[in-house]
mmCIF file with all atom_site columns, all heavy atoms in Angstrom:
data_model
loop_
_atom_site.group_PDB
_atom_site.id
_atom_site.type_symbol
_atom_site.label_atom_id
_atom_site.label_alt_id
_atom_site.label_comp_id
_atom_site.label_asym_id
_atom_site.label_entity_id
_atom_site.label_seq_id
_atom_site.pdbx_PDB_ins_code
_atom_site.Cartn_x
_atom_site.Cartn_y
_atom_site.Cartn_z
_atom_site.occupancy
_atom_site.B_iso_or_equiv
_atom_site.pdbx_formal_charge
_atom_site.auth_seq_id
_atom_site.auth_comp_id
_atom_site.auth_asym_id
_atom_site.auth_atom_id
_atom_site.pdbx_PDB_model_num
ATOM 1   N N   . PRO Y 1 197 ? -1.868  -3.973  -16.489 1.00 0.00 ? 1674 PRO Y N   1
ATOM 2   C CA  . PRO Y 1 197 ? -1.836  -5.232  -16.774 1.00 0.00 ? 1674 PRO Y CA  1
ATOM 3   C C   . PRO Y 1 197 ? -0.902  -5.682  -17.869 1.00 0.00 ? 1674 PRO Y C   1
ATOM 4   O O   . PRO Y 1 197 ? -0.739  -4.886  -18.885 1.00 0.00 ? 1674 PRO Y O   1
ATOM 5   C CB  . PRO Y 1 197 ? -3.330  -5.759  -17.099 1.00 0.00 ? 1674 PRO Y CB  1
ATOM 6   C CG  . PRO Y 1 197 ? -3.885  -4.497  -17.956 1.00 0.00 ? 1674 PRO Y CG  1
ATOM 7   C CD  . PRO Y 1 197 ? -3.067  -3.305  -17.167 1.00 0.00 ? 1674 PRO Y CD  1
ATOM 8   N N   . ARG Y 1 198 ? -0.278  -6.896  -17.896 1.00 0.00 ? 1675 ARG Y N   1
ATOM 9   C CA  . ARG Y 1 198 ? 0.376   -7.445  -18.949 1.00 0.00 ? 1675 ARG Y CA  1
ATOM 10  C C   . ARG Y 1 198 ? -0.711  -7.749  -20.098 1.00 0.00 ? 1675 ARG Y C   1
ATOM 11  O O   . ARG Y 1 198 ? -1.917  -7.880  -19.871 1.00 0.00 ? 1675 ARG Y O   1
ATOM 12  C CB  . ARG Y 1 198 ? 1.099   -8.858  -18.762 1.00 0.00 ? 1675 ARG Y CB  1
ATOM 13  C CG  . ARG Y 1 198 ? 2.182   -8.653  -17.756 1.00 0.00 ? 1675 ARG Y CG  1
ATOM 14  C CD  . ARG Y 1 198 ? 2.748   -9.965  -17.326 1.00 0.00 ? 1675 ARG Y CD  1
ATOM 15  N NE  . ARG Y 1 198 ? 4.072   -9.979  -16.772 1.00 0.00 ? 1675 ARG Y NE  1
ATOM 16  C CZ  . ARG Y 1 198 ? 4.838   -11.030 -16.605 1.00 0.00 ? 1675 ARG Y CZ  1
ATOM 17  N NH1 . ARG Y 1 198 ? 4.380   -12.253 -16.978 1.00 0.00 ? 1675 ARG Y NH1 1
ATOM 18  N NH2 . ARG Y 1 198 ? 6.048   -10.842 -16.139 1.00 0.00 ? 1675 ARG Y NH2 1
ATOM 19  N N   . VAL Y 1 199 ? -0.335  -8.000  -21.336 1.00 0.00 ? 1676 VAL Y N   1
ATOM 20  C CA  . VAL Y 1 199 ? -1.281  -8.355  -22.360 1.00 0.00 ? 1676 VAL Y CA  1
ATOM 21  C C   . VAL Y 1 199 ? -1.802  -9.825  -22.106 1.00 0.00 ? 1676 VAL Y C   1
ATOM 22  O O   . VAL Y 1 199 ? -3.004  -10.016 -22.474 1.00 0.00 ? 1676 VAL Y O   1
ATOM 23  C CB  . VAL Y 1 199 ? -0.555  -8.448  -23.766 1.00 0.00 ? 1676 VAL Y CB  1
ATOM 24  C CG1 . VAL Y 1 199 ? -0.142  -7.029  -24.187 1.00 0.00 ? 1676 VAL Y CG1 1
ATOM 25  C CG2 . VAL Y 1 199 ? 0.573   -9.242  -23.903 1.00 0.00 ? 1676 VAL Y CG2 1
ATOM 26  N N   . GLU Y 1 200 ? -1.071  -10.603 -21.575 1.00 0.00 ? 1677 GLU Y N   1
ATOM 27  C CA  . GLU Y 1 200 ? -1.547  -11.965 -21.002 1.00 0.00 ? 1677 GLU Y CA  1
ATOM 28  C C   . GLU Y 1 200 ? -0.685  -12.158 -19.731 1.00 0.00 ? 1677 GLU Y C   1
ATOM 29  O O   . GLU Y 1 200 ? 0.419   -11.694 -19.694 1.00 0.00 ? 1677 GLU Y O   1
ATOM 30  C CB  . GLU Y 1 200 ? -1.385  -13.075 -22.008 1.00 0.00 ? 1677 GLU Y CB  1
ATOM 31  C CG  . GLU Y 1 200 ? -2.391  -13.070 -23.229 1.00 0.00 ? 1677 GLU Y CG  1
ATOM 32  C CD  . GLU Y 1 200 ? -2.245  -14.272 -24.059 1.00 0.00 ? 1677 GLU Y CD  1
ATOM 33  O OE1 . GLU Y 1 200 ? -1.134  -14.803 -24.217 1.00 0.00 ? 1677 GLU Y OE1 1
ATOM 34  O OE2 . GLU Y 1 200 ? -3.329  -14.723 -24.607 1.00 0.00 ? 1677 GLU Y OE2 1
ATOM 35  N N   . PRO Y 1 201 ? -1.175  -13.065 -18.892 1.00 0.00 ? 1678 PRO Y N   1
ATOM 36  C CA  . PRO Y 1 201 ? -0.463  -13.206 -17.575 1.00 0.00 ? 1678 PRO Y CA  1
ATOM 37  C C   . PRO Y 1 201 ? 0.820   -13.791 -17.757 1.00 0.00 ? 1678 PRO Y C   1
ATOM 38  O O   . PRO Y 1 201 ? 1.885   -13.511 -17.029 1.00 0.00 ? 1678 PRO Y O   1
ATOM 39  C CB  . PRO Y 1 201 ? -1.386  -14.333 -16.844 1.00 0.00 ? 1678 PRO Y CB  1
ATOM 40  C CG  . PRO Y 1 201 ? -2.768  -14.048 -17.390 1.00 0.00 ? 1678 PRO Y CG  1
ATOM 41  C CD  . PRO Y 1 201 ? -2.593  -13.648 -18.774 1.00 0.00 ? 1678 PRO Y CD  1
ATOM 42  N N   . GLU Y 1 202 ? 1.134   -14.591 -18.911 1.00 0.00 ? 1679 GLU Y N   1
ATOM 43  C CA  . GLU Y 1 202 ? 2.390   -15.288 -19.050 1.00 0.00 ? 1679 GLU Y CA  1
ATOM 44  C C   . GLU Y 1 202 ? 3.341   -14.430 -20.011 1.00 0.00 ? 1679 GLU Y C   1
ATOM 45  O O   . GLU Y 1 202 ? 4.398   -14.883 -20.134 1.00 0.00 ? 1679 GLU Y O   1
ATOM 46  C CB  . GLU Y 1 202 ? 2.184   -16.592 -19.675 1.00 0.00 ? 1679 GLU Y CB  1
ATOM 47  C CG  . GLU Y 1 202 ? 1.327   -17.574 -18.936 1.00 0.00 ? 1679 GLU Y CG  1
ATOM 48  C CD  . GLU Y 1 202 ? -0.295  -17.402 -19.152 1.00 0.00 ? 1679 GLU Y CD  1
ATOM 49  O OE1 . GLU Y 1 202 ? -0.511  -16.581 -20.062 1.00 0.00 ? 1679 GLU Y OE1 1
ATOM 50  O OE2 . GLU Y 1 202 ? -1.028  -17.806 -18.371 1.00 0.00 ? 1679 GLU Y OE2 1
ATOM 51  N N   . VAL Y 1 203 ? 2.933   -13.243 -20.379 1.00 0.00 ? 1680 VAL Y N   1
ATOM 52  C CA  . VAL Y 1 203 ? 3.585   -12.575 -21.411 1.00 0.00 ? 1680 VAL Y CA  1
ATOM 53  C C   . VAL Y 1 203 ? 4.216   -11.268 -20.830 1.00 0.00 ? 1680 VAL Y C   1
ATOM 54  O O   . VAL Y 1 203 ? 3.442   -10.340 -20.593 1.00 0.00 ? 1680 VAL Y O   1
ATOM 55  C CB  . VAL Y 1 203 ? 2.830   -12.212 -22.677 1.00 0.00 ? 1680 VAL Y CB  1
ATOM 56  C CG1 . VAL Y 1 203 ? 3.622   -11.387 -23.718 1.00 0.00 ? 1680 VAL Y CG1 1
ATOM 57  C CG2 . VAL Y 1 203 ? 2.319   -13.480 -23.345 1.00 0.00 ? 1680 VAL Y CG2 1
ATOM 58  N N   . PRO Y 1 204 ? 5.556   -11.191 -20.565 1.00 0.00 ? 1681 PRO Y N   1
ATOM 59  C CA  . PRO Y 1 204 ? 6.035   -9.882  -19.993 1.00 0.00 ? 1681 PRO Y CA  1
ATOM 60  C C   . PRO Y 1 204 ? 5.743   -8.872  -21.006 1.00 0.00 ? 1681 PRO Y C   1
ATOM 61  O O   . PRO Y 1 204 ? 5.940   -9.040  -22.169 1.00 0.00 ? 1681 PRO Y O   1
ATOM 62  C CB  . PRO Y 1 204 ? 7.546   -10.232 -19.844 1.00 0.00 ? 1681 PRO Y CB  1
ATOM 63  C CG  . PRO Y 1 204 ? 7.593   -11.724 -19.730 1.00 0.00 ? 1681 PRO Y CG  1
ATOM 64  C CD  . PRO Y 1 204 ? 6.523   -12.206 -20.601 1.00 0.00 ? 1681 PRO Y CD  1
ATOM 65  N N   . THR Y 1 205 ? 5.428   -7.551  -20.515 1.00 0.00 ? 1682 THR Y N   1
ATOM 66  C CA  . THR Y 1 205 ? 5.013   -6.562  -21.393 1.00 0.00 ? 1682 THR Y CA  1
ATOM 67  C C   . THR Y 1 205 ? 5.670   -5.184  -21.090 1.00 0.00 ? 1682 THR Y C   1
ATOM 68  O O   . THR Y 1 205 ? 5.962   -4.984  -19.898 1.00 0.00 ? 1682 THR Y O   1
ATOM 69  C CB  . THR Y 1 205 ? 3.457   -6.416  -21.226 1.00 0.00 ? 1682 THR Y CB  1
ATOM 70  O OG1 . THR Y 1 205 ? 2.875   -7.659  -21.509 1.00 0.00 ? 1682 THR Y OG1 1
ATOM 71  C CG2 . THR Y 1 205 ? 2.986   -5.335  -22.049 1.00 0.00 ? 1682 THR Y CG2 1
ATOM 72  N N   . ILE Y 1 206 ? 5.931   -4.452  -22.112 1.00 0.00 ? 1683 ILE Y N   1
ATOM 73  C CA  . ILE Y 1 206 ? 6.288   -3.086  -21.830 1.00 0.00 ? 1683 ILE Y CA  1
ATOM 74  C C   . ILE Y 1 206 ? 5.247   -2.264  -22.693 1.00 0.00 ? 1683 ILE Y C   1
ATOM 75  O O   . ILE Y 1 206 ? 4.996   -2.410  -23.887 1.00 0.00 ? 1683 ILE Y O   1
ATOM 76  C CB  . ILE Y 1 206 ? 7.658   -2.675  -22.480 1.00 0.00 ? 1683 ILE Y CB  1
ATOM 77  C CG1 . ILE Y 1 206 ? 8.729   -3.454  -21.665 1.00 0.00 ? 1683 ILE Y CG1 1
ATOM 78  C CG2 . ILE Y 1 206 ? 8.002   -1.250  -22.499 1.00 0.00 ? 1683 ILE Y CG2 1
ATOM 79  C CD1 . ILE Y 1 206 ? 10.157  -3.302  -22.280 1.00 0.00 ? 1683 ILE Y CD1 1
ATOM 80  N N   . ALA Y 1 207 ? 4.622   -1.243  -21.978 1.00 0.00 ? 1684 ALA Y N   1
ATOM 81  C CA  . ALA Y 1 207 ? 3.731   -0.208  -22.546 1.00 0.00 ? 1684 ALA Y CA  1
ATOM 82  C C   . ALA Y 1 207 ? 4.457   1.081   -22.649 1.00 0.00 ? 1684 ALA Y C   1
ATOM 83  O O   . ALA Y 1 207 ? 5.115   1.492   -21.624 1.00 0.00 ? 1684 ALA Y O   1
ATOM 84  C CB  . ALA Y 1 207 ? 2.463   -0.167  -21.717 1.00 0.00 ? 1684 ALA Y CB  1
ATOM 85  N N   . THR Y 1 208 ? 4.326   1.771   -23.724 1.00 0.00 ? 1685 THR Y N   1
ATOM 86  C CA  . THR Y 1 208 ? 4.977   2.945   -23.851 1.00 0.00 ? 1685 THR Y CA  1
ATOM 87  C C   . THR Y 1 208 ? 3.992   4.225   -23.673 1.00 0.00 ? 1685 THR Y C   1
ATOM 88  O O   . THR Y 1 208 ? 4.494   5.418   -24.088 1.00 0.00 ? 1685 THR Y O   1
ATOM 89  C CB  . THR Y 1 208 ? 5.642   3.157   -25.256 1.00 0.00 ? 1685 THR Y CB  1
ATOM 90  O OG1 . THR Y 1 208 ? 4.808   3.177   -26.278 1.00 0.00 ? 1685 THR Y OG1 1
ATOM 91  C CG2 . THR Y 1 208 ? 6.614   1.903   -25.423 1.00 0.00 ? 1685 THR Y CG2 1
ATOM 92  N N   . GLY Y 1 209 ? 2.903   4.062   -23.170 1.00 0.00 ? 1686 GLY Y N   1
ATOM 93  C CA  . GLY Y 1 209 ? 2.020   5.117   -22.889 1.00 0.00 ? 1686 GLY Y CA  1
ATOM 94  C C   . GLY Y 1 209 ? 0.733   4.557   -22.399 1.00 0.00 ? 1686 GLY Y C   1
ATOM 95  O O   . GLY Y 1 209 ? 0.497   3.376   -21.991 1.00 0.00 ? 1686 GLY Y O   1
ATOM 96  N N   . THR Y 1 210 ? -0.334  5.371   -22.337 1.00 0.00 ? 1687 THR Y N   1
ATOM 97  C CA  . THR Y 1 210 ? -1.667  4.813   -21.873 1.00 0.00 ? 1687 THR Y CA  1
ATOM 98  C C   . THR Y 1 210 ? -2.696  5.633   -22.801 1.00 0.00 ? 1687 THR Y C   1
ATOM 99  O O   . THR Y 1 210 ? -2.510  6.803   -23.287 1.00 0.00 ? 1687 THR Y O   1
ATOM 100 C CB  . THR Y 1 210 ? -1.929  5.188   -20.299 1.00 0.00 ? 1687 THR Y CB  1
ATOM 101 O OG1 . THR Y 1 210 ? -1.747  6.523   -20.124 1.00 0.00 ? 1687 THR Y OG1 1
ATOM 102 C CG2 . THR Y 1 210 ? -0.967  4.360   -19.510 1.00 0.00 ? 1687 THR Y CG2 1
ATOM 103 N N   . ARG Y 1 211 ? -3.860  5.016   -22.857 1.00 0.00 ? 1688 ARG Y N   1
ATOM 104 C CA  . ARG Y 1 211 ? -5.024  5.709   -23.360 1.00 0.00 ? 1688 ARG Y CA  1
ATOM 105 C C   . ARG Y 1 211 ? -5.645  6.746   -22.507 1.00 0.00 ? 1688 ARG Y C   1
ATOM 106 O O   . ARG Y 1 211 ? -5.465  6.607   -21.292 1.00 0.00 ? 1688 ARG Y O   1
ATOM 107 C CB  . ARG Y 1 211 ? -6.090  4.702   -23.806 1.00 0.00 ? 1688 ARG Y CB  1
ATOM 108 C CG  . ARG Y 1 211 ? -5.790  3.781   -25.017 1.00 0.00 ? 1688 ARG Y CG  1
ATOM 109 C CD  . ARG Y 1 211 ? -7.066  3.201   -25.598 1.00 0.00 ? 1688 ARG Y CD  1
ATOM 110 N NE  . ARG Y 1 211 ? -7.790  2.268   -24.684 1.00 0.00 ? 1688 ARG Y NE  1
ATOM 111 C CZ  . ARG Y 1 211 ? -8.773  1.624   -24.987 1.00 0.00 ? 1688 ARG Y CZ  1
ATOM 112 N NH1 . ARG Y 1 211 ? -9.367  1.733   -26.171 1.00 0.00 ? 1688 ARG Y NH1 1
ATOM 113 N NH2 . ARG Y 1 211 ? -9.458  0.889   -24.216 1.00 0.00 ? 1688 ARG Y NH2 1
ATOM 114 N N   . GLY Y 1 212 ? -6.178  7.855   -23.172 1.00 0.00 ? 1689 GLY Y N   1
ATOM 115 C CA  . GLY Y 1 212 ? -6.659  8.825   -22.218 1.00 0.00 ? 1689 GLY Y CA  1
ATOM 116 C C   . GLY Y 1 212 ? -8.210  8.452   -21.871 1.00 0.00 ? 1689 GLY Y C   1
ATOM 117 O O   . GLY Y 1 212 ? -8.669  7.564   -22.435 1.00 0.00 ? 1689 GLY Y O   1
ATOM 118 N N   . SER Y 1 213 ? -8.635  9.221   -20.953 1.00 0.00 ? 1690 SER Y N   1
ATOM 119 C CA  . SER Y 1 213 ? -10.132 9.009   -20.459 1.00 0.00 ? 1690 SER Y CA  1
ATOM 120 C C   . SER Y 1 213 ? -10.887 10.310  -20.557 1.00 0.00 ? 1690 SER Y C   1
ATOM 121 O O   . SER Y 1 213 ? -10.520 11.305  -19.883 1.00 0.00 ? 1690 SER Y O   1
ATOM 122 C CB  . SER Y 1 213 ? -10.091 8.519   -19.123 1.00 0.00 ? 1690 SER Y CB  1
ATOM 123 O OG  . SER Y 1 213 ? -11.312 8.257   -18.593 1.00 0.00 ? 1690 SER Y OG  1
ATOM 124 N N   . PHE Y 1 214 ? -11.914 10.342  -21.371 1.00 0.00 ? 1691 PHE Y N   1
ATOM 125 C CA  . PHE Y 1 214 ? -12.788 11.488  -21.583 1.00 0.00 ? 1691 PHE Y CA  1
ATOM 126 C C   . PHE Y 1 214 ? -14.101 11.162  -21.158 1.00 0.00 ? 1691 PHE Y C   1
ATOM 127 O O   . PHE Y 1 214 ? -14.752 10.115  -21.549 1.00 0.00 ? 1691 PHE Y O   1
ATOM 128 C CB  . PHE Y 1 214 ? -12.844 11.898  -22.963 1.00 0.00 ? 1691 PHE Y CB  1
ATOM 129 C CG  . PHE Y 1 214 ? -13.432 13.163  -23.226 1.00 0.00 ? 1691 PHE Y CG  1
ATOM 130 C CD1 . PHE Y 1 214 ? -12.717 14.420  -23.304 1.00 0.00 ? 1691 PHE Y CD1 1
ATOM 131 C CD2 . PHE Y 1 214 ? -14.849 13.204  -23.550 1.00 0.00 ? 1691 PHE Y CD2 1
ATOM 132 C CE1 . PHE Y 1 214 ? -13.354 15.609  -23.595 1.00 0.00 ? 1691 PHE Y CE1 1
ATOM 133 C CE2 . PHE Y 1 214 ? -15.442 14.466  -23.826 1.00 0.00 ? 1691 PHE Y CE2 1
ATOM 134 C CZ  . PHE Y 1 214 ? -14.741 15.654  -23.879 1.00 0.00 ? 1691 PHE Y CZ  1
ATOM 135 N N   . HIS Y 1 215 ? -14.760 12.033  -20.259 1.00 0.00 ? 1692 HIS Y N   1
ATOM 136 C CA  . HIS Y 1 215 ? -16.121 11.803  -19.670 1.00 0.00 ? 1692 HIS Y CA  1
ATOM 137 C C   . HIS Y 1 215 ? -17.174 12.715  -20.021 1.00 0.00 ? 1692 HIS Y C   1
ATOM 138 O O   . HIS Y 1 215 ? -16.804 13.942  -20.177 1.00 0.00 ? 1692 HIS Y O   1
ATOM 139 C CB  . HIS Y 1 215 ? -15.982 11.515  -18.145 1.00 0.00 ? 1692 HIS Y CB  1
ATOM 140 C CG  . HIS Y 1 215 ? -15.283 10.469  -17.650 1.00 0.00 ? 1692 HIS Y CG  1
ATOM 141 N ND1 . HIS Y 1 215 ? -15.718 9.396   -16.864 1.00 0.00 ? 1692 HIS Y ND1 1
ATOM 142 C CD2 . HIS Y 1 215 ? -13.975 10.030  -17.810 1.00 0.00 ? 1692 HIS Y CD2 1
ATOM 143 C CE1 . HIS Y 1 215 ? -14.926 8.486   -16.517 1.00 0.00 ? 1692 HIS Y CE1 1
ATOM 144 N NE2 . HIS Y 1 215 ? -13.791 8.835   -17.093 1.00 0.00 ? 1692 HIS Y NE2 1
#
Side-chain angles (χ1 to χ4, degrees):
R1675 293 175 164 193
V1676 296
E1677 284 188 331
E1679 302 81 13
V1680 179
T1682 302
I1683 294 173
T1685 66
T1687 54
R1688 290 199 295 181
S1690 177
F1691 187 93
H1692 290 242

